[in-house]
Amino acid sequence: ANNFILNFLWTFKNTNLIASSQKKLFMYFKYLSVNLIGLLLNLLILNFVVHTFGDSVALMGQLAGILLGSISNFFLSRKLVF
């Protein structure tokens, strides 16, 4: 909830400032959905890297997953939520 509030007030501050409580709740559930997509992408990338290249590169898989998951979260949040 804190991350949604901070994104609502700071990152995407120029959009939907006077949204109704019902609309904010709907935005929150869309935000959760977008973040679940980012988590899924993160885990799929990690799983692919570890299964393809072995456990010795798991840290690189985590880094790639975090990077692509974060980028997808930002762009999907901007496009679909805020």
Side-chain angles (χ1 to χ4, degrees), residues 4-34:
F4 172 76
I5 293 169
L6 289 173
N7 275 308
F8 184 82
L9 295 175
W10 187 46
T11 305
F12 302 103
K13 64 184 171 186
N14 293 324
T15 59
N16 296 310
L17 288 177
I18 55 174
S20 68
S21 295
Q22 187 176 10
K23 184 170 181 170
K24 287 178 188 171
L25 184 62
F26 184 65
M27 288 171 64
Y28 179 69
F29 284 113
K30 288 194 304 186
Y31 183 76
L32 287 177
S33 299
V34 164

Side-chain angles (χ1 to χ4, degrees), residues 40 51 69 80:
L40 179 63
H51 279 62
L80 301 175

Side-chain angles (χ1 to χ4, degrees), residues 57-78:
V57 294
L59 187 61
M60 296 308 286
Q62 287 176 339
L63 180 62
I66 290 169
L67 181 64
L68 292 174
S70 296
I71 290 169
S72 72
N73 278 348
F74 175 78
F75 286 109
L76 287 173
S77 289
R78 185 172 70 176

Side-chain angles (χ1 to χ4, degrees), residues 32-48 65-66 68-70 72-73 76:
L32 287 177
S33 299
V34 164
N35 279 281
L36 286 174
I37 292 169
L39 174 63
L40 179 63
L41 181 63
N42 183 337
L43 294 175
L44 286 172
I45 291 169
L46 173 60
N47 192 23
F48 172 77
I66 290 169
L68 292 174
S70 296
S72 72
N73 278 348
L76 287 173

